[in-house]
Amino acid sequence: MSVTQQQVLDCLAKVMSPRGTALTNANVLSAITVTDGKVFFSINVDAAEARAWESVRAQAENAVRAIPGVSVAMIALTAERKAGGAAPAPRPAGGVPPASAHRHPHPPGAQSPMARQAEIPGISAVIAVASGKGGVGKSTTALNLALGLRDIGLRVGLLDADIYGPSVPRLTGIREKPKLNDDKKMIPLQRFGLSIMSIGFLVEEDTAMIWRGPMVMSAITQMLRDVVWGTLDVLVVDMPPGTGDAQLTLAQNVPLKGAVIISTPQDLSLIDARRGLAMFKKVNVPVLGIVENMSYFQCPHCGTRSDIFGHGGARHEAEKLGVPFLGEIPLHIAIRAASDSGNPVVESEPDGPHAAIYRAIGSKVREQLQGVIAAA
């Protein structure tokens, strides 16, 4: 059944704002995107009123999901502070207080954002694979690390949280769309013995993901909470590059058991990796270690080794910062070709030297998670 924008608007007209006006008349809705039963839009309000609007966002999401033919609804609350925003909003002429007045008072010594953390039922450990910058092979490493963990006997899931540039659909060759269970939660797709979910399964490959920060946070929260992950020892999360909203959202929503930092040997990449490591430490996420990707190039014809980006920089950085060094992954055509074909090297060449490297990294990660997994 095809869903139209008008159906969504008719549905939202029945949802009331904190001031009692219909959501469609409150001048807060972004453009509504409807594609193959997937609905995306945001509710844009002043930051001072965000708390009062959160319940409205939830009502709108539930209402849209109830429309026949809607498979996925992603509705973000986008809050922006107005210029000079410290001053309280004036009371409207009609005497109705601003929406911010509906907020519950926050007691002194209020909890930090980390107080919102909650375990995902059935998952023993959630770990992030992150990088300070793009182009270092983070997604390829995340997938092959997940497969390496699988090979040493763990039940593993992979969440592609890089919503600006989701790579997992291409890396896994998955073209299907996730189905919903009776509770309208997404069922992760199965490939290579992994439970896999990506925003890329919900949008076309060439779609530009132009989302504001709060929409990023809402999407990642849904990918964590509205997916039937089942029972997993480890959920590997492929993060967007950088140190922004996505990383903070994950750290604030889920008690991460650790982060793996991906870098190349060159100084520029190491500077950004250092920033990523510092960010995770600030939000009390253990750093499981650093991986040096594209560590060296070995000619597939003559075997000559070349240190194109330098060599050993990540190991030295790990020693200097007092975190584990997990291993070196070469720049090799087999890894690239396997990734591009949707058949990652740990799966396509399980007895090869590259698969052994990823399994060795997975074993080091498992050692640090041993108590967590054993206790689950």
Side-chain angles (χ1 to χ4, degrees), residues 137 140-149 151-152 262 291 293-294 326 328-330 335-336 339 344-347 352-365:
T140 298
T141 304
L143 173 56
N144 282 293
L145 170 61
L147 292 169
L149 290 166
D151 283 355
I152 57 176
I262 312 300
V291 173
N293 198 32
M294 308 181 198
L326 298 176
E328 302 174 347
I329 302 170
I335 298 175
R336 193 276 305 164
S339 297
V345 72
V346 174
E347 181 71 17
H354 309 307
I357 292 171
Y358 287 113
R359 278 194 290 270
I361 293 172
S363 295
K364 291 179 181 179
V365 169

Side-chain angles (χ1 to χ4, degrees), residues 267-299:
D267 291 342
L268 186 60
S269 180
L270 290 167
I271 291 169
D272 292 314
R274 200 176 302 138
R275 292 192 186 106
L277 190 147
M279 185 214 68
F280 281 113
K281 285 190 172 182
K282 280 187 178 181
V283 293
N284 298 317
V285 173
V287 175
L288 301 175
I290 298 177
V291 173
E292 183 170 279
N293 198 32
M294 308 181 198
S295 181
Y296 56 90
F297 171 72
Q298 192 157 15
C299 178

Side-chain angles (χ1 to χ4, degrees), residues 130-134 138 239-245 247 272 275-276 279-280:
S131 64
K133 67 192 294 290
K138 170 184 53 61
M239 300 299 299
T243 55
D245 292 325
Q247 288 78 3
D272 292 314
R275 292 192 186 106
M279 185 214 68
F280 281 113

Side-chain angles (χ1 to χ4, degrees), residues 299-346:
C299 178
H301 304 294
C302 67
T304 302
R305 172 170 164 160
S306 301
D307 296 333
I308 295 176
F309 299 115
H311 181 258
R315 182 189 293 274
H316 175 71
E317 196 68 27
E319 291 171 354
K320 186 169 73 173
L321 297 172
V323 299
F325 179 70
L326 298 176
E328 302 174 347
I329 302 170
L331 177 64
H332 198 281
I333 192 170
I335 298 175
R336 193 276 305 164
S339 297
D340 286 351
S341 69
N343 195 19
V345 72
V346 174

